Amino acid sequence: MSIFYLTFGRILKSGWNNFLRNRWLALATISVMVLAIFFMTGLIFVNLIGKTLLVNLQNKVDISVYLKQDVSEQDVSIIRSDLTFLNEVKDVNYISADEALASFKAKHQDNAVLMESLQELGNPLLPVLNVEAQEASQYEAIVNFLGQDKYQKIVDKINYQQTKPLIDRLSSFTNKVSRGGLIISIILALVAGLVTFNTIRLAMYNFRHEVSVMRLVGASNWYIRGPFLVEGIIYGVIAAVSTTTLLFISLYFLSPKINSLVPGSDLLGWFKVNFFSLLFFQTGAGILLGGVGSLVAIRKYLKV
Amino acid sequence: MVHDSVIEFKNVSKIYQTNNGECAALTKVDLAVRPKDFLSVAGPSGSGKSTLLKLLLGEERPTDGQIFFNGQDIALFSTSEMPHLRRRIGTIFQDFKLLSNKTVYENIAFAMEMVGKPTKEIEQDVPQVLELVGLSDKTEYFPHQLSGGEKQRASIARALIHRPEVILADEPTGNLDLLNTWDVVRLLLKINELGTTIILATHDREIINNLNRRVITINRGKVIRDEENGRYVL
Ligand SMILES: Nc1ncnc2c1ncn2[C@@H]1O[C@H](COP(=O)(O)OP(=O)(O)OP(=O)(O)O)[C@@H](O)[C@H]1O
Ligand SMILES: [Mg+2]
C-alpha cells in the first residue's frame, strides 16, 4: 500500500515537473483548449439569447376575441374566468369599448378628420379580450374552446384567422431553431474537441522517443502514462479557469448591450447565478479534453 | 540443459522490413549464455550485434526462432509483462537513450523510482553510482548539455543502478577516450565477478583481445565463431 502512495506521489510530481518544463507547449495547448471550451459555453449563451428572443416574440402574439357591442358585464366576467381556468391560457386582458375608444383617440388626436367622424359615429369599437397562450401551438385549442354554442351570443369575431399564419410560422421556427441549435452545438463541440485532441497528439509526438526509452528501461505503462495524464488534467483546470475569467470579462461588457437588443436576456445575471455549475462544467470539459486526449494520444507509443 | 542458461537463442532469425526490401540482420543464431558469463559479441559494423541485444530486450521481435530468459520464452511476454523482464536486465544503449527532459540525476533515479524504491535509498545510491562513472559534478545537467562520453557514462550508471541479473552493453566505450575505456571495462569485469552476467557488443579489437573471455563473432548476421578465451579474428 505504501508503495502505491509512493508511486502515486511520484507520478503527480513528475507530471507537475513536466508541466513546468514544457511551458511553451503548455501555453499552446491551453490556448486551444480555452478556445474550445469558450466556444462550447458560448453556445449556452447563444441558446439563452435565442430562447429569450422567442419568448419575447411569442408574448407579442395573442388572439383578440371581439365581443358583441351590447355584451353585459356579467357575460364578460363569465367568459373571462372560463378562459382563465384553461390550462393553455397564460393571460387574459379585457379592454372595454370605452377604453378602446380612449386609447384610439389618444393615438390619433392629431387627425382632425378622423376625430370629427368619430364624433358623428359614436363609439364604433367593440370590447375585446386579448388572450395569450402558454405556447404558440395552443392557440388552435383556445379558438376551438370559444367556438362552443354557449359563447355564440357573446363573441362577435375572433381575429385568430389573421394571426394564424404568423403563429404557425413562429412555432415551426421555434422548433427549427432549437433542433438546429442542438445540431450546430454538437458539431462545433466535436470540431473543438478534435482540434484540441490533435494539438495534444502533436505534443505527444514530441515525446514519442521519451516514451519508448521509458518502456525499454522497464517502466510500466501506467508509470509512463500517469505524468502525461496529470499534465493533461492541469491543462484542463487552467483552461477552464481562464475560460471562466474570459467569459466574465466579455459578459461584463457585452451583457448590457445584448440586453438592450433582446430585453430580458440578462446574461451577466445568469452567469452570476450559475457560476459554480458553469465552472464545474468547464473544468469537467477541460479535464476530459486534456486527460482523455493525452491518454488516447500516448497509446500508440506504448507498444514497444 | 535449457535451465542452465540465463539466455538462450534457438534458431533465431531477424529480417527487417524496409522501404526498399528486406534486410536480414540475423540468420539462424543459436546461442546459450550461462549465468555469470562474460560474453563478448564481436563483429564489424552492421553485422547484427545491436539487433541481437534488441531481440533480447524485446525492443524487436524475432522473425523466426525462440529466445529464452531463465527458461521463459520472451515472445510470450505481453506488453504489460515486458517491464518485469526489462527490470532484470540493465542495458547500456549504443545511442544512450537518456530522457532528454530529465537531468542526469533524474535519469538515473527514474530507474529506481519506477520500481517503487524508497526515496532514501535513491538519494543514497544515485550519487554513489554517479561517482563511480565520474559524473558527480554533472548531476543537474540535462543530456543535451553533456558530451558524448558523458552521456555514455550516464547510460552506464543507469544500467548499473538497480543491480540487474544481466547487463547488456552495446558499444559502451564507443565515445570514450582510452583511459575511460579501460575504467569501464574494469568496472564491467568487477560487476561480473560479483555475479552479474554480462554481454558486451563491440568492434574494439583491443578490448576483446585483452579480456581473454568467451567471444562470439558475428558476420553478416551469422555466428561464425564461438570460443572460450577468444580473440578478435576477422
Ligand atoms: N530498424 C531497422 N530497420 C531496418 N534495418 C535495420 C534496422 N536496424 C538495423 N537494421 C539493419 O540491420 C543490420 C544490422 O544492424 P545492427 O544495428 O544490428 O548492426 P551492429 O552490428 O550493431 O553495427 P554497429 O557496430 O555499427 O553498431 C544493418 O545492416 C542495419 O542496416
Ligand atoms: Mg550496434
Side-chain angles (χ1 to χ4, degrees):
Chain A
M1 217 44 203
S2 74
I3 267 206
F4 174 80
Y5 287 120
L6 188 68
T7 306
F8 189 68
R10 279 175 183 163
I11 287 176
L12 284 183
K13 196 175 147 217
S14 173
W16 177 249
N17 277 342
N18 289 353
F19 167 70
L20 291 181
R21 281 180 191 168
N22 306 318
R23 251 165 291 175
W24 287 107
L25 201 63
L27 193 69
T29 316
I30 291 172
S31 318
V32 175
M33 288 174 85
V34 167
L35 279 181
I37 303 173
F38 189 76
F39 224 21
M40 289 177 193
T41 29
L43 280 157
I44 296 180
F45 287 94
V46 171
N47 271 343
L48 219 61
I49 296 174
K51 266 191 200 135
T52 320
L53 195 67
L54 281 170
V55 169
N56 288 354
L57 279 176
Q58 276 173 345
N59 285 346
K60 291 212 172 86
V61 181
D62 55 9
I63 351 180
S64 302
V65 183
Y66 293 96
L67 306 179
K68 298 258 158 82
Q69 192 121 42
D70 52 0
V71 73
S72 69
E73 286 287 321
Q74 205 182 358
D75 283 340
V76 169
S77 64
I78 286 172
I79 191 170
R80 198 174 164 178
S81 67
D82 283 356
L83 279 169
T84 318
F85 273 115
L86 278 185
N87 275 335
E88 291 91 344
V89 172
K90 193 173 167 193
D91 198 19
V92 183
N93 188 17
Y94 176 67
I95 300 166
S96 70
D98 291 342
E99 282 164 350
L101 183 66
S103 78
F104 185 84
K105 275 182 174 168
K107 225 186 210 166
H108 301 281
Q109 57 191 351
D110 299 334
N111 192 332
V113 184
L114 206 57
M115 287 296 144
E116 221 164 281
S117 47
L118 264 182
Q119 215 89 68
E120 276 166 34
L121 271 172
N123 186 355
L125 298 176
L126 296 173
V128 64
L129 277 168
N130 289 321
V131 184
E132 202 183 303
Q134 301 282 8
E135 278 174 33
S137 60
Q138 292 164 337
Y139 284 106
E140 195 96 49
I142 298 172
V143 172
N144 287 340
F145 174 81
L146 290 169
Q148 292 173 81
D149 279 347
K150 57 176 174 173
Y151 298 125
Q152 291 300 2
K153 59 182 189 344
I154 313 172
V155 175
D156 186 87
K157 66 175 194 255
I158 301 171
N159 84 334
Y160 172 66
Q161 292 313 321
Q162 294 158 21
T163 47
K164 190 174 187 302
L166 178 65
I167 292 170
D168 283 349
R169 238 185 299 150
L170 188 62
S171 54
S172 90
F173 180 67
T174 316
N175 282 335
K176 270 185 201 145
V177 164
S178 57
R179 210 177 314 142
L182 192 69
I183 292 170
I184 290 174
S185 55
I186 288 173
I187 290 174
L188 285 183
L190 277 178
V191 169
L194 267 173
V195 170
T196 309
F197 176 60
N198 264 334
T199 312
I200 292 176
R201 240 178 39 163
L202 278 178
M204 210 56 88
Y205 182 79
N206 277 322
F207 290 110
R208 71 197 182 286
H209 183 67
E210 307 272 312
V211 170
S212 77
V213 171
M214 291 183 194
R215 280 290 298 172
L216 288 178
V217 297
S220 71
N221 274 354
W222 271 109
Y223 198 75
I224 301 172
R225 265 193 290 241
F228 286 106
L229 182 64
V230 170
E231 210 180 335
I233 290 173
I234 295 175
Y235 287 1
V237 171
I238 294 179
V241 172
S242 321
T243 314
T244 311
T245 315
L246 197 67
L247 200 62
F248 176 75
I249 296 171
S250 354
L251 285 181
Y252 188 81
F253 289 106
L254 284 179
S255 186
K257 282 182 189 138
I258 296 174
N259 206 14
S260 66
L261 281 176
V262 185
S265 66
D266 182 11
L267 297 187
L268 192 61
W270 190 91
F271 176 82
K272 282 174 182 162
V273 170
N274 295 286
F275 178 77
F276 284 105
S277 47
L278 200 62
L279 190 64
F280 182 76
F281 162 77
Q282 295 188 324
T283 312
I287 288 176
L288 213 66
L289 279 173
V292 177
S294 52
L295 278 192
V296 175
I298 199 178
R299 223 177 34 166
K300 73 170 162 201
Y301 303 121
L302 287 173
K303 299 227 170 93
V304 191
Chain B
M1 287 301 277
V2 172
H3 39 274
D4 285 346
S5 315
V6 212
I7 290 156
E8 194 173 13
F9 280 63
K10 276 193 175 165
N11 200 28
V12 172
S13 297
K14 174 65 185 179
I15 299 170
Y16 288 110
Q17 305 291 337
T18 65
N19 292 338
N20 35 4
E22 299 182 335
C23 174
L26 285 178
T27 314
K28 300 199 171 175
V29 172
D30 281 299
L31 175 68
V33 184
R34 290 171 306 260
K36 302 179 187 178
D37 257 1
F38 192 121
L39 171 72
S40 301
V41 181
S45 178
S47 55
K49 304 182 294 295
S50 295
T51 303
L52 189 85
L53 302 189
K54 281 177 185 168
L55 289 174
L56 197 47
L57 198 62
E59 186 179 351
E60 297 284 351
R61 300 246 169 198
T63 317
D64 198 19
Q66 286 171 299
I67 301 166
F68 295 93
F69 185 85
N70 283 332
Q72 281 179 294
D73 185 347
I74 70 164
L76 301 180
F77 283 105
S78 67
T79 333
S80 59
E81 289 164 338
M82 218 34 141
H84 299 292
L85 169 72
R86 289 170 178 162
R87 286 170 196 178
R88 298 166 71 179
I89 301 175
T91 310
I92 305 163
F93 296 94
Q94 188 170 13
D95 56 353
F96 322 129
K97 295 206 192 298
L98 298 171
L99 299 166
S100 56
N101 247 347
K102 295 191 189 306
T103 63
V104 169
Y105 183 95
E106 290 167 339
N107 261 282
I108 319 298
F110 181 83
M112 294 182 85
E113 284 169 354
M114 74 186 186
V115 293
K117 285 272 162 61
T119 311
K120 246 197 181 139
E121 201 179 319
I122 297 175
E123 283 169 355
Q124 202 182 327
D125 287 5
V126 176
Q128 266 177 22
V129 78
L130 284 174
E131 168 110 56
L132 196 65
V133 297
L135 280 180
S136 292
D137 52 341
K138 300 278 162 76
T139 53
E140 296 309 312
Y141 281 48
F142 285 93
H144 72 268
Q145 296 164 327
L146 298 178
S147 74
E150 286 165 343
K151 282 186 225 176
Q152 191 139 44
R153 285 181 274 155
S155 183
I156 293 170
R158 182 180 58 190
L160 304 183
I161 191 75
H162 57 304
R163 302 189 179 92
E165 289 168 49
V166 177
I167 287 185
L168 308 181
D170 195 355
E171 301 289 357
T173 58
N175 286 274
L176 301 181
D177 55 41
L178 222 60
L179 218 67
N180 273 310
T181 297
W182 289 109
D183 279 347
V184 167
V185 173
R186 267 196 295 275
L187 185 63
L188 290 177
L189 280 167
K190 180 95 178 286
I191 293 166
N192 177 241
E193 265 166 37
L194 296 173
T196 306
T197 310
I198 294 192
I199 301 182
L200 167 69
T202 184
H203 42 50
D204 189 323
R205 183 183 300 268
E206 284 291 300
I207 294 179
I208 303 242
N209 289 346
N210 279 289
L211 273 172
N212 210 23
R213 296 293 184 107
R214 181 179 172 199
V215 177
I216 63 168
T217 309
I218 303 184
N219 196 17
R220 299 190 184 186
K222 292 202 178 87
V223 177
I224 55 171
R225 216 183 292 270
D226 184 350
E227 303 165 314
E228 298 294 332
N229 309 321
R231 295 182 64 79
Y232 193 101
V233 190
L234 253 185

